[in-house]
Amino acid sequence: MTHVALLGDSVFDNAAYVRGGADVVTHLRRRAPAGWGATLLAVDGSVAEGVHAQLARLPPGATHLVVSAGGNDALRRAHVLEARAGSSAEVLNMLADVAGEFEQSYRRMLSAALSRALPLAVCTVYYPRFPDALAQRLAVTALTVFNDAITRAAFGAGAPLIDLRLVCDEAADYANPIEPSEAGGAKIASAIVRLVSEHDFARRRTEVFV
């Protein structure tokens, strides 16, 4: 029996933001074929390193792992966007430092997840929905370095990828600027079902789902 374990952050653990509506794991259970199971291990607020503790709680029957991590890592480094710099080179250098730190953390997490010898998929970090146009533009630009690290890690591991930037592409997909709404959660769950149902994990070849 297929049993999907969801790991990571509030992209999956979004019950607190849907005001009594269906969260991602509920949508997943409703949309999954008969006989599937799903366990929520993701924790709101977690960074990539937090997935290690979540992996320790994997249920014995888990058959697939899906990880969405990186958004909170980016939030913790948001101060870089407000740092004073004398040139664009200094800004790029600071972003490069942030990207390097995150990539090391993400690859450690991915290695730990892969060590479970279960089919694994990862997600990009979706774009926020800030009402301020400048804040939105800066956030989208900065997230490029985080998503680059995630996609390269996925490609290197031959893991399939859900590009949440294209899944959550409407204002209605967000409960607030950074959390998925009930509608967004439904779209995320549908992408997970499609990936687990269609992807050939035995080929160890990255395929992108949107």
Side-chain angles (χ1 to χ4, degrees), residues 179-198:
E179 309 292 353
S181 65
E182 184 171 7
K187 293 168 75 171
I188 293 168
S190 293
I192 293 170
V193 171
R194 194 162 59 250
L195 183 150
V196 174
S197 299
E198 299 176 6

Side-chain angles (χ1 to χ4, degrees), residues 53-115:
Q54 296 169 22
L55 286 167
R57 298 188 286 111
L58 273 180
T63 61
H64 294 74
L65 310 180
V66 183
V67 180
S68 176
N72 290 313
D73 297 82
L75 282 173
R76 289 188 178 188
R77 295 166 173 83
H79 63 277
V80 171
L81 299 179
E82 300 176 356
R84 300 180 69 87
S87 67
S88 57
E90 285 186 43
V91 174
L92 291 173
N93 190 51
M94 286 188 284
L95 278 175
D97 287 341
V98 163
E101 292 172 4
F102 171 69
E103 184 162 359
Q104 290 181 23
S105 174
Y106 194 87
R107 286 183 179 275
R108 285 193 298 270
M109 177 276 293
L110 192 60
S111 178
L114 289 168
S115 73

Side-chain angles (χ1 to χ4, degrees), residues 18 29 41-42 53 87 104 111 117 125 149 202:
V18 296
R29 289 167 180 155
L41 298 174
S87 67
Q104 290 181 23
S111 178
V125 180

Side-chain angles (χ1 to χ4, degrees), residues 64 120-121 158-161 193-209:
H64 294 74
L120 169 73
L161 179 78
V193 171
R194 194 162 59 250
L195 183 150
V196 174
S197 299
E198 299 176 6
H199 183 70
D200 183 358
F201 288 90
R203 297 183 66 188
R204 295 185 62 81
R205 178 179 179 181
T206 300
E207 186 175 13
V208 179
F209 288 79

